[in-house]
Amino acid sequence: DAKTTQPNSMESNEEEPVHLPCNHSTISGTDYIHWYRQLPSQGPEYVIHGLTSNVNNRMASLAIAEDRKSSTLILHRATLRDAAVYYCILVGSGGSNYKLTFGKGTLLTVNP
Amino acid sequence: DTEVTQTPKHLVMGMTNKKSLKCEQHMGHRAMYWYKQKAKKPPELMFVYSYEKLSINESVPSRFSPECPNSSLLNLHLHALQPEDSALYLCASSRLGQGFGGYTFGSGTRLTVV
């Protein structure tokens, strides 16, 4: 499985934008970039995913580098409820199974 | 219904007990997964079911026995567990093929083996 590299932790202030980086230099052409987050004492939650183009949804935006070797999850206005571990995961599209392998993720702290 | 429901939320069992964890979804997802998460660690994949058939077993000890009775239900049968098996057990589901849009996770069962 292709690996991703994320900072161990990041800190943000409430109501400010947050840019969470992810490096994936060995990504293959058919790998999707997925982001999940896990709030304390909860299961992981799907945030967003993309292949080549930037993506937006109600939770966040995903900016993908032109060479696809890195991506950035953007939270436009952080709230205290966004404090979580954020995981960047590559998901292959080959076969009928989509195996989600978690790395260590980035622990985001949001200051009031 | 956009949820994955796991029961029970908490379970304490002895090393000689037999217990089962249950997972249910009604989103029409045809893939279901079991993950194990130790404290302060990322989730680790245990099993994958695709169209109700076991497709991936990540070398999980036989004291964990998965079962998928139908497309909405996934069970994890536990027998003769060890204290080191204490963890949060997470169930997830997803579509397969062109409709794949990510995994939906349950809140987990927190298992303590005594």
Side-chain angles (χ1 to χ4, degrees), chain B residues 69-111:
Chain B
N70 60 55
S71 60
S72 299
L73 278 175
L74 185 67
N75 298 320
L76 185 63
H77 302 298
L78 314 173
H79 173 54
L81 294 193
Q82 303 297 310
E84 57 264 30
D85 295 321
S86 298
L88 180 67
Y89 288 84
L90 294 160
C91 174
S93 69
S94 75
R95 295 189 187 283
L96 292 169
Q98 290 294 328
F100 179 74
Y103 286 37
T104 302
F105 282 83
S107 298
T109 294
R110 191 162 297 281
L111 174 69

Side-chain angles (χ1 to χ4, degrees), chain A residues 9-77:
Chain A
S9 61
M10 290 185 65
E11 212 168 312
S12 172
N13 295 320
E14 204 174 6
E15 298 189 5
E16 291 184 356
V18 181
H19 291 235
L20 296 162
C22 181
N23 288 320
H24 28 78
S25 58
T26 59
I27 190 170
S28 76
T30 54
D31 284 342
Y32 284 79
I33 302 159
H34 279 238
W35 284 82
Y36 290 78
R37 71 180 186 181
Q38 188 171 19
L39 281 64
S41 302
Q42 294 189 27
E45 175 187 27
Y46 167 81
V47 178
I48 201 167
H49 79 283
L51 184 62
T52 55
S53 303
N54 294 345
V55 185
N56 300 298
N57 66 22
R58 63 175 180 81
M59 290 181 69
S61 295
L62 176 60
I64 301 172
E66 198 168 331
D67 63 6
R68 299 207 331 123
K69 293 185 176 181
S70 66
S71 61
T72 302
L73 179 71
I74 303 165
L75 307 179
H76 295 286
R77 288 181 73 233

